[in-house]
Amino acid sequence: MSATATDAGAVGTGVRPAWVSDERLAEWCTWVARDPAGTATSTAVAPYDGLVTATVPASTAEDVATAIAGARRAQRSWARLPWGTKAAIVLRFHDLLVQRQDEAIDLVQWEMGKARFSAWQEILQVATIARHYARHGRHYLADNKVRGAIPGLTKVREVRVPKGVIGMISPWNYPLYLAVGDVLPALLAGNGVVSKADSQTPLTLLWARALMAEAGLPRELWQVVVGPGSVVGDALIGPVDASAEGVDHICFTGSTATGRGVGRRAGERLIAASLELGGKNPLLVLPDADVEKAAAGCVAAAFANTGQMCIHVERVIVHTDVYDAFRDALVAATAALRVGQSFDYSVDVGSLASPAQLETVRSHVETAVAAGAQVLIGGRHRPDLGPLVYEPTVLEGVTEEMPVCAEETFGPVLSLYRAVTEADALAKANAGRYGLSASIWSRDTAAAERLATSVRAGSVNVNDGAAAAAGSIEAPMGGMGDSGLGRRHGAEGIRKYTEQQTIATQRLMPLGPPPSMPVERFVGIGNAQMRLLRSLRMR
């Protein structure tokens, strides 16, 4: 693995991007929903140098309730606007995002520490989502005509109406994609939004909110709150006793443990929750796989974003016939990665985001090695490259009692497992309670696609690590088991922000016996109708 140290001189004091002035920071902070008399603040440190990024105003529970009320006021008029008006704003945001992408990429790197290519991928995803829903969202939400109780006399339409105000809780690992990508379809569906910015990465979200204002989005419609989850997150969902206003749907991305709590509170309030949670994602290498391509795909899926993504590969299950060849190819591909931190594209694997993430990675690796696992490559913290840099690591000989076997590491660590049959590989892939993403490598794609239906995962990539499914915006993305509920992307990614409503119009007369007809005769006609309809072949 080659190394690249921080290029601090090119970005101003420390690693703060030179274009980020105090005046810009102050302007972004005006987008935090907070009482002007409030004094609470939130701070985070930059992974590249451990210095504070910025001090951001923090919201209280009362501020959250005020933000929800403001978004609800704005939503009423927003929902009545023509689709084309709302779509035009989203497309203008798309254009501004593409034009000023270097600003967003700098902020993502400054706040979160990832390599620049991984940061650019967030631009790609958000731009794709904006185009897709602005152009196709109206089709997803179109009225649906259905047959009525009495064909010809009853006209029925299924329509979709906005839920009202959507609460968004997004994590630090994708501060643009996960924070904004879910907001766009919610707005296009006619809702207001209140977003909780992650305390590690609030500036990226505030920058995006300011950019959306430039595109023409009303100020009150999309509000941003900042603060600890125990205060701001709980207030966003709202209390069961309705002593304060809560949102009408909660969209959460984060850990399974926290997601359980969010789902529990949403259930108490009888509001829907979409939850994308953790994963311990498997990659299967079948005996006929091209091991060189499989190794390259594995490296991309495991170490992109420094392994800090819910869909990244952590378990690699390899058929014994190709195990040795694949292992050698994987180690070689990992060794070729450029590791370090830089605000250019010279680094493949960047920094971890926080000391807590570094400690989890170190603990998983060191505990496994102490219990008998072997490090094939990596396995070292590299403070010479950056305070939170950890080498991409491949482990062999991992057993079930080791935490790295079943617990989500969320860092640049892979474990290799040998499978003696395809059934053995499938059983290992489905072990545990997670079910978010998976990957299968085989030259026989038809056979791999058949096998995919037996893998317990919301997305299965054939001959790709993770990006093919995640990047297919028309296809739903989400998890099974402990990996969550609901889907983002595709039709479900916008329909979940609406309520289904049935509008039935009765022609001529109401249903039921006419005043002049005895009930017995009406029942007889109904029975005859049921027998007739049963005898007909109708869809």
Short mmCIF file of all heavy atoms in Angstrom, two decimals, residues 230-280:
data_model
loop_
_atom_site.label_atom_id
_atom_site.label_comp_id
_atom_site.label_asym_id
_atom_site.label_seq_id
_atom_site.Cartn_x
_atom_site.Cartn_y
_atom_site.Cartn_z
N SER A 230 -30.58 12.39 21.56
CA SER A 230 -31.44 12.25 22.74
C SER A 230 -32.34 13.45 22.94
O SER A 230 -33.38 13.35 23.60
CB SER A 230 -30.57 12.03 23.98
OG SER A 230 -29.67 13.13 24.16
N VAL A 231 -31.96 14.59 22.38
CA VAL A 231 -32.77 15.81 22.48
C VAL A 231 -33.51 16.06 21.18
O VAL A 231 -34.74 16.08 21.12
CB VAL A 231 -31.90 17.02 22.84
CG1 VAL A 231 -32.73 18.30 22.85
CG2 VAL A 231 -31.23 16.82 24.20
N VAL A 232 -32.74 16.25 20.11
CA VAL A 232 -33.32 16.66 18.83
C VAL A 232 -34.04 15.50 18.14
O VAL A 232 -35.14 15.67 17.60
CB VAL A 232 -32.22 17.25 17.92
CG1 VAL A 232 -32.77 17.57 16.55
CG2 VAL A 232 -31.64 18.50 18.56
N GLY A 233 -33.43 14.32 18.15
CA GLY A 233 -34.06 13.18 17.49
C GLY A 233 -35.37 12.80 18.13
O GLY A 233 -36.38 12.55 17.45
N ASP A 234 -35.39 12.73 19.47
CA ASP A 234 -36.63 12.39 20.16
C ASP A 234 -37.71 13.42 19.91
O ASP A 234 -38.88 13.09 19.70
CB ASP A 234 -36.37 12.26 21.67
CG ASP A 234 -35.59 11.00 22.01
OD1 ASP A 234 -35.36 10.17 21.10
OD2 ASP A 234 -35.20 10.84 23.18
N ALA A 235 -37.33 14.70 19.92
CA ALA A 235 -38.31 15.76 19.69
C ALA A 235 -38.85 15.71 18.27
O ALA A 235 -40.01 16.05 18.02
CB ALA A 235 -37.68 17.12 19.97
N LEU A 236 -38.01 15.28 17.33
CA LEU A 236 -38.44 15.22 15.93
C LEU A 236 -39.57 14.21 15.76
O LEU A 236 -40.57 14.48 15.09
CB LEU A 236 -37.25 14.84 15.06
CG LEU A 236 -37.38 15.00 13.55
CD1 LEU A 236 -37.64 16.45 13.18
CD2 LEU A 236 -36.12 14.50 12.85
N ILE A 237 -39.43 13.04 16.38
CA ILE A 237 -40.49 12.04 16.27
C ILE A 237 -41.74 12.51 16.99
O ILE A 237 -42.86 12.33 16.52
CB ILE A 237 -40.01 10.69 16.85
CG1 ILE A 237 -38.77 10.22 16.10
CG2 ILE A 237 -41.11 9.64 16.76
CD1 ILE A 237 -38.09 9.01 16.72
N GLY A 238 -41.55 13.15 18.15
CA GLY A 238 -42.68 13.70 18.88
C GLY A 238 -43.15 12.80 19.98
O GLY A 238 -42.98 11.58 19.93
N PRO A 239 -43.77 13.37 21.02
CA PRO A 239 -44.26 12.57 22.15
C PRO A 239 -45.57 11.88 21.84
O PRO A 239 -46.36 12.34 21.01
CB PRO A 239 -44.43 13.62 23.25
CG PRO A 239 -44.76 14.88 22.51
CD PRO A 239 -43.97 14.81 21.22
N VAL A 240 -45.82 10.76 22.52
CA VAL A 240 -47.05 10.01 22.31
C VAL A 240 -48.26 10.81 22.77
O VAL A 240 -49.34 10.74 22.17
CB VAL A 240 -46.98 8.67 23.06
CG1 VAL A 240 -48.28 7.88 22.90
CG2 VAL A 240 -45.82 7.84 22.55
N ASP A 241 -48.10 11.62 23.82
CA ASP A 241 -49.24 12.33 24.39
C ASP A 241 -49.63 13.59 23.63
O ASP A 241 -50.52 14.33 24.06
CB ASP A 241 -48.97 12.67 25.86
CG ASP A 241 -47.75 13.59 26.03
OD1 ASP A 241 -47.22 14.08 25.01
OD2 ASP A 241 -47.34 13.81 27.17
N ALA A 242 -48.94 13.86 22.51
CA ALA A 242 -49.24 15.03 21.66
C ALA A 242 -49.08 16.35 22.41
O ALA A 242 -49.70 17.34 22.06
CB ALA A 242 -50.66 14.92 21.08
N SER A 243 -48.21 16.36 23.44
CA SER A 243 -47.94 17.61 24.12
C SER A 243 -47.09 18.55 23.28
O SER A 243 -47.00 19.75 23.56
CB SER A 243 -47.24 17.33 25.46
OG SER A 243 -46.02 16.61 25.24
N ALA A 244 -46.45 18.01 22.27
CA ALA A 244 -45.71 18.81 21.29
C ALA A 244 -45.91 18.17 19.92
O ALA A 244 -46.23 16.98 19.81
CB ALA A 244 -44.24 18.88 21.64
N GLU A 245 -45.72 18.97 18.89
CA GLU A 245 -45.98 18.48 17.54
C GLU A 245 -44.82 17.62 17.04
O GLU A 245 -43.65 17.97 17.21
CB GLU A 245 -46.19 19.66 16.59
CG GLU A 245 -46.67 19.25 15.23
CD GLU A 245 -47.10 20.45 14.39
OE1 GLU A 245 -46.75 21.58 14.75
OE2 GLU A 245 -47.79 20.24 13.37
N GLY A 246 -45.14 16.49 16.45
CA GLY A 246 -44.14 15.63 15.84
C GLY A 246 -44.35 15.53 14.35
O GLY A 246 -45.31 16.06 13.79
N VAL A 247 -43.45 14.82 13.69
CA VAL A 247 -43.55 14.66 12.24
C VAL A 247 -44.55 13.57 11.90
O VAL A 247 -45.04 12.84 12.77
CB VAL A 247 -42.17 14.34 11.63
CG1 VAL A 247 -41.20 15.50 11.85
CG2 VAL A 247 -41.61 13.04 12.22
N ASP A 248 -44.85 13.43 10.62
CA ASP A 248 -45.85 12.46 10.15
C ASP A 248 -45.22 11.19 9.59
O ASP A 248 -45.92 10.22 9.30
CB ASP A 248 -46.73 13.10 9.08
CG ASP A 248 -47.38 14.38 9.59
OD1 ASP A 248 -48.12 14.29 10.59
OD2 ASP A 248 -47.13 15.46 9.02
N HIS A 249 -43.92 11.19 9.42
CA HIS A 249 -43.17 10.03 8.95
C HIS A 249 -41.72 10.28 9.33
O HIS A 249 -41.24 11.41 9.21
CB HIS A 249 -43.29 9.87 7.42
CG HIS A 249 -42.51 8.73 6.84
ND1 HIS A 249 -43.11 7.60 6.35
CD2 HIS A 249 -41.18 8.53 6.66
CE1 HIS A 249 -42.20 6.75 5.90
NE2 HIS A 249 -41.01 7.31 6.08
N ILE A 250 -41.04 9.23 9.78
CA ILE A 250 -39.63 9.40 10.13
C ILE A 250 -38.78 8.52 9.23
O ILE A 250 -39.06 7.34 9.04
CB ILE A 250 -39.38 9.06 11.63
CG1 ILE A 250 -37.97 9.47 12.05
CG2 ILE A 250 -39.67 7.61 11.95
CD1 ILE A 250 -37.79 10.96 12.21
N CYS A 251 -37.76 9.11 8.65
CA CYS A 251 -36.82 8.40 7.78
C CYS A 251 -35.46 8.41 8.49
O CYS A 251 -34.87 9.48 8.67
CB CYS A 251 -36.74 9.10 6.43
SG CYS A 251 -35.60 8.33 5.25
N PHE A 252 -35.00 7.24 8.89
CA PHE A 252 -33.77 7.13 9.68
C PHE A 252 -32.77 6.24 8.97
O PHE A 252 -33.11 5.15 8.49
CB PHE A 252 -34.09 6.54 11.06
CG PHE A 252 -32.87 6.22 11.88
CD1 PHE A 252 -32.24 7.20 12.62
CD2 PHE A 252 -32.35 4.93 11.90
CE1 PHE A 252 -31.10 6.90 13.37
CE2 PHE A 252 -31.22 4.61 12.65
CZ PHE A 252 -30.59 5.61 13.39
N THR A 253 -31.52 6.67 8.94
CA THR A 253 -30.42 5.85 8.46
C THR A 253 -29.35 5.85 9.54
O THR A 253 -28.90 6.91 9.98
CB THR A 253 -29.82 6.40 7.15
OG1 THR A 253 -30.86 6.52 6.17
CG2 THR A 253 -28.74 5.47 6.62
N GLY A 254 -28.96 4.66 9.99
CA GLY A 254 -27.97 4.59 11.04
C GLY A 254 -27.84 3.18 11.59
O GLY A 254 -28.14 2.20 10.90
N SER A 255 -27.44 3.06 12.84
CA SER A 255 -27.18 1.75 13.43
C SER A 255 -28.48 1.02 13.74
O SER A 255 -29.53 1.63 13.95
CB SER A 255 -26.37 1.91 14.72
OG SER A 255 -27.18 2.47 15.74
N THR A 256 -28.38 -0.30 13.79
CA THR A 256 -29.54 -1.11 14.12
C THR A 256 -30.02 -0.83 15.54
O THR A 256 -31.23 -0.75 15.79
CB THR A 256 -29.20 -2.61 13.96
OG1 THR A 256 -28.89 -2.86 12.59
CG2 THR A 256 -30.36 -3.49 14.38
N ALA A 257 -29.12 -0.66 16.47
CA ALA A 257 -29.51 -0.40 17.86
C ALA A 257 -30.33 0.88 17.97
O ALA A 257 -31.40 0.90 18.61
CB ALA A 257 -28.27 -0.31 18.74
N THR A 258 -29.87 1.95 17.34
CA THR A 258 -30.61 3.21 17.38
C THR A 258 -31.90 3.10 16.58
O THR A 258 -32.95 3.63 16.97
CB THR A 258 -29.75 4.36 16.85
OG1 THR A 258 -28.54 4.43 17.60
CG2 THR A 258 -30.48 5.69 16.97
N GLY A 259 -31.83 2.39 15.46
CA GLY A 259 -33.02 2.22 14.63
C GLY A 259 -34.16 1.52 15.34
O GLY A 259 -35.34 1.83 15.12
N ARG A 260 -33.82 0.57 16.21
CA ARG A 260 -34.87 -0.10 16.99
C ARG A 260 -35.63 0.92 17.85
O ARG A 260 -36.85 0.90 17.96
CB ARG A 260 -34.26 -1.17 17.89
CG ARG A 260 -33.78 -2.41 17.18
CD ARG A 260 -33.36 -3.46 18.19
NE ARG A 260 -32.63 -4.54 17.56
CZ ARG A 260 -33.20 -5.54 16.91
NH1 ARG A 260 -34.52 -5.58 16.81
NH2 ARG A 260 -32.47 -6.50 16.36
N GLY A 261 -34.87 1.81 18.48
CA GLY A 261 -35.50 2.83 19.31
C GLY A 261 -36.36 3.78 18.51
O GLY A 261 -37.46 4.16 18.92
N VAL A 262 -35.87 4.18 17.33
CA VAL A 262 -36.64 5.06 16.46
C VAL A 262 -37.94 4.37 16.02
O VAL A 262 -39.03 4.96 16.07
CB VAL A 262 -35.81 5.47 15.23
CG1 VAL A 262 -36.67 6.20 14.20
CG2 VAL A 262 -34.63 6.35 15.65
N GLY A 263 -37.82 3.11 15.61
CA GLY A 263 -39.01 2.37 15.19
C GLY A 263 -40.01 2.21 16.32
O GLY A 263 -41.23 2.29 16.12
N ARG A 264 -39.50 1.97 17.54
CA ARG A 264 -40.38 1.80 18.70
C ARG A 264 -41.16 3.09 18.98
O ARG A 264 -42.38 3.07 19.17
CB ARG A 264 -39.55 1.40 19.91
CG ARG A 264 -40.37 1.04 21.14
CD ARG A 264 -39.46 0.64 22.30
NE ARG A 264 -38.55 -0.43 21.91
CZ ARG A 264 -37.24 -0.31 21.81
NH1 ARG A 264 -36.67 0.85 22.06
NH2 ARG A 264 -36.49 -1.33 21.45
N ARG A 265 -40.47 4.21 18.96
CA ARG A 265 -41.14 5.49 19.22
C ARG A 265 -42.12 5.85 18.11
O ARG A 265 -43.20 6.39 18.37
CB ARG A 265 -40.10 6.60 19.39
CG ARG A 265 -39.33 6.52 20.71
CD ARG A 265 -38.30 7.64 20.80
NE ARG A 265 -38.92 8.95 20.61
CZ ARG A 265 -39.55 9.62 21.56
NH1 ARG A 265 -39.66 9.10 22.77
NH2 ARG A 265 -40.06 10.81 21.32
N ALA A 266 -41.75 5.56 16.87
CA ALA A 266 -42.67 5.82 15.76
C ALA A 266 -43.92 4.96 15.90
O ALA A 266 -45.05 5.43 15.65
CB ALA A 266 -41.97 5.55 14.43
N GLY A 267 -43.74 3.70 16.29
CA GLY A 267 -44.89 2.83 16.47
C GLY A 267 -45.81 3.32 17.57
O GLY A 267 -47.05 3.24 17.44
N GLU A 268 -45.26 3.87 18.64
CA GLU A 268 -46.08 4.41 19.72
C GLU A 268 -46.92 5.58 19.24
O GLU A 268 -48.04 5.79 19.70
CB GLU A 268 -45.19 4.83 20.89
CG GLU A 268 -44.56 3.65 21.63
CD GLU A 268 -43.54 4.10 22.65
OE1 GLU A 268 -43.13 5.28 22.61
OE2 GLU A 268 -43.13 3.27 23.49
N ARG A 269 -46.38 6.34 18.29
CA ARG A 269 -47.13 7.49 17.75
C ARG A 269 -47.98 7.10 16.54
O ARG A 269 -48.68 7.94 15.99
CB ARG A 269 -46.15 8.60 17.32
CG ARG A 269 -45.65 9.43 18.48
CD ARG A 269 -45.24 10.83 18.00
NE ARG A 269 -46.34 11.50 17.34
CZ ARG A 269 -46.25 12.09 16.14
NH1 ARG A 269 -45.11 12.07 15.46
NH2 ARG A 269 -47.28 12.70 15.62
N LEU A 270 -47.90 5.85 16.12
CA LEU A 270 -48.65 5.36 14.96
C LEU A 270 -48.31 6.14 13.69
O LEU A 270 -49.17 6.48 12.89
CB LEU A 270 -50.16 5.40 15.22
CG LEU A 270 -50.65 4.49 16.35
CD1 LEU A 270 -52.16 4.63 16.52
CD2 LEU A 270 -50.29 3.03 16.08
N ILE A 271 -47.01 6.43 13.53
CA ILE A 271 -46.54 6.99 12.27
C ILE A 271 -45.59 5.99 11.62
O ILE A 271 -45.00 5.15 12.30
CB ILE A 271 -45.82 8.35 12.45
CG1 ILE A 271 -44.55 8.19 13.29
CG2 ILE A 271 -46.75 9.38 13.06
CD1 ILE A 271 -43.68 9.44 13.33
N ALA A 272 -45.47 6.06 10.32
CA ALA A 272 -44.61 5.13 9.60
C ALA A 272 -43.14 5.51 9.78
O ALA A 272 -42.80 6.68 10.00
CB ALA A 272 -44.96 5.12 8.11
N ALA A 273 -42.29 4.50 9.69
CA ALA A 273 -40.85 4.72 9.77
C ALA A 273 -40.17 3.92 8.68
O ALA A 273 -40.48 2.75 8.48
CB ALA A 273 -40.31 4.31 11.14
N SER A 274 -39.27 4.55 7.95
CA SER A 274 -38.39 3.83 7.02
C SER A 274 -37.00 3.85 7.63
O SER A 274 -36.48 4.91 8.00
CB SER A 274 -38.41 4.48 5.63
OG SER A 274 -38.29 5.89 5.71
N LEU A 275 -36.41 2.67 7.77
CA LEU A 275 -35.17 2.51 8.53
C LEU A 275 -34.15 1.74 7.70
O LEU A 275 -34.36 0.57 7.39
CB LEU A 275 -35.44 1.73 9.83
CG LEU A 275 -36.62 2.19 10.69
CD1 LEU A 275 -36.90 1.17 11.79
CD2 LEU A 275 -36.33 3.56 11.31
N GLU A 276 -33.06 2.40 7.32
CA GLU A 276 -31.95 1.66 6.73
C GLU A 276 -30.87 1.55 7.78
O GLU A 276 -30.30 2.55 8.21
CB GLU A 276 -31.40 2.31 5.47
CG GLU A 276 -30.31 1.44 4.86
CD GLU A 276 -29.79 1.95 3.52
OE1 GLU A 276 -30.58 2.05 2.57
OE2 GLU A 276 -28.59 2.25 3.46
N LEU A 277 -30.58 0.31 8.17
CA LEU A 277 -29.74 0.07 9.34
C LEU A 277 -28.44 -0.63 8.95
O LEU A 277 -27.96 -0.48 7.84
CB LEU A 277 -30.55 -0.73 10.36
CG LEU A 277 -31.93 -0.12 10.68
CD1 LEU A 277 -32.70 -0.98 11.66
CD2 LEU A 277 -31.80 1.31 11.19
N GLY A 278 -27.85 -1.37 9.87
CA GLY A 278 -26.52 -1.91 9.66
C GLY A 278 -26.48 -3.12 8.74
O GLY A 278 -27.51 -3.63 8.28
N GLY A 279 -25.28 -3.59 8.49
CA GLY A 279 -25.09 -4.76 7.65
C GLY A 279 -23.75 -5.43 7.93
O GLY A 279 -22.82 -4.79 8.42
N LYS A 280 -23.70 -6.71 7.68
CA LYS A 280 -22.44 -7.46 7.74
C LYS A 280 -22.37 -8.22 6.42
O LYS A 280 -22.55 -9.43 6.34
CB LYS A 280 -22.44 -8.42 8.93
CG LYS A 280 -21.08 -9.04 9.24
CD LYS A 280 -20.11 -8.03 9.82
CE LYS A 280 -18.78 -8.68 10.19
NZ LYS A 280 -17.80 -7.69 10.68
#
